[in-house]
Amino acid sequence: MRRLIYAANWKMHHGPVAARAFVERFNSVVQPADGRDLWFFPPAVSLAATAEAFGARPDVRVGAQNVYWAAKGAFTGECSVALAAEAGARGALVGHSERRHVFGETDAETALKVAALLEGGLTPMLCVGEQLSEREAGHTEAAVRRQLRAALAERTPEQLARLMVAYEPVWAIGTGRNATPADAAAVHRVIRHELAALHAPGDVPVLYGGSVNAGNVLALLAEPELDGVLVGGASLDPDGWAELVGLGG
Ligand code: PGA
């Protein structure tokens, strides 16, 4: 049976107090279930509080939303892989569309972050996705392949065995407009194909993200190409998130 991954990207929400309250409520309504893994990506200041509040819960992993690739030094405002790990992170988002398009992160920087995470023993969740103009010009496939190659070409198959990928069309994030399940599945097949060309194992999880909610998650997960979902807005409320992760069984 496919192992489903439900990943919550809290973006710039939930400080340590709100994060602890979220976990307390969530833990009281959701028990670990077979075949389901949960990832939470809180803001950096809430990493430790979130990880500590979940404790040793076996189905939960906590990750950073961003890391810097250097090990240490004069990089004011940045968080290294080792610092994130010490705060409880087991992985990190890399190349999220807001990093790429709001903060101008390049493909080359994304590649450095993926490398630093893998070398530091953390799991990267590499986010890729086309912009609306790329989709309308018929360049979706090329955009996604380019982002994957740029981030992963230098990595070994052993390293790629620890990777997760999230397909997040930029036009679908936070807009209420999600890709149809069939469109998402088609791009997931492209991603799988490119991952194989990069010598990644066939079981690298590929998640879908972009305006996923309790009303559309079942139709999306009905596509066998989707190994889970990466969710922003609909992951912020513990009861709403509990409902969403419960729907897929
Ligand atoms: P959204 O965000 O679910 O609010 O569209 C998804 C994401 O940015 O990961």
Side-chain angles (χ1 to χ4, degrees), residues 49-84:
T50 308
E52 280 160 27
F54 276 123
R57 192 177 156 136
D59 56 334
V60 168
R61 309 236 183 320
V62 173
Q65 293 175 13
N66 183 35
V67 291
Y68 192 60
W69 56 84
K72 58 170 73 162
F75 301 106
T76 301
E78 294 294 323
C79 180
S80 69
V81 172
L83 290 177

Side-chain angles (χ1 to χ4, degrees), residues 15-184:
V17 173
R20 274 191 217 97
F22 179 107
V23 175
E24 193 180 325
R25 175 69 190 161
F26 185 80
N27 277 344
S28 73
V29 286
V30 178
Q31 306 311 313
D34 285 345
R36 180 180 77 199
D37 287 328
L38 305 173
W39 276 86
F40 288 86
F41 296 95
V45 292
S46 303
L47 269 175
T50 308
E52 280 160 27
F54 276 123
R57 192 177 156 136
D59 56 334
V60 168
R61 309 236 183 320
V62 173
Q65 293 175 13
N66 183 35
V67 291
Y68 192 60
W69 56 84
K72 58 170 73 162
F75 301 106
T76 301
E78 294 294 323
C79 180
S80 69
V81 172
L83 290 177
E86 190 179 332
R90 310 273 296 273
L93 300 177
V94 185
H96 188 275
S97 85
E98 286 143 25
R99 299 304 316 167
R100 294 178 191 268
H101 303 299
V102 180
F103 299 101
E105 188 168 299
T106 64
D107 281 342
E109 289 169 332
T110 296
L112 288 167
K113 293 179 181 190
V114 169
L117 283 161
L118 289 169
E119 275 150 27
L122 269 63
T123 299
M125 185 180 284
L126 174 66
C127 304
V128 297
E130 80 286 1
Q131 299 186 68
L132 186 58
S133 57
E134 290 170 318
R135 173 158 285 258
E136 286 173 343
H139 296 157
T140 297
E141 181 170 336
V144 166
R145 285 186 188 271
R146 187 203 77 237
Q147 289 172 332
L148 289 168
R149 273 198 304 272
L152 305 176
E154 306 295 323
R155 308 277 56 88
T156 65
E158 293 72 31
Q159 288 181 319
L160 294 177
R162 291 192 282 117
L163 175 78
M164 298 186 288
V165 173
Y167 167 54
E168 296 204 307
V170 177
W171 49 268
I173 296 177
T175 57
R177 190 179 156 196
N178 65 298
T180 66
D183 281 349

Side-chain angles (χ1 to χ4, degrees), residues 7-11 93 96-98 127 166 168-170 172-177 208-213 229-236:
N9 173 11
W10 287 349
K11 308 193 181 189
L93 300 177
H96 188 275
S97 85
E98 286 143 25
C127 304
E168 296 204 307
V170 177
I173 296 177
T175 57
R177 190 179 156 196
Y208 170 78
S211 295
V212 175
N213 58 42
V229 285
L230 174 58
V231 183
S235 73
L236 288 174

Side-chain angles (χ1 to χ4, degrees), residues 2 6 181 212-223 244 246-249:
R2 178 174 53 149
Y6 293 83
V212 175
N213 58 42
N216 59 28
V217 68
L218 278 184
L220 286 161
L221 290 177
E223 298 290 339
L244 195 154
L247 285 171

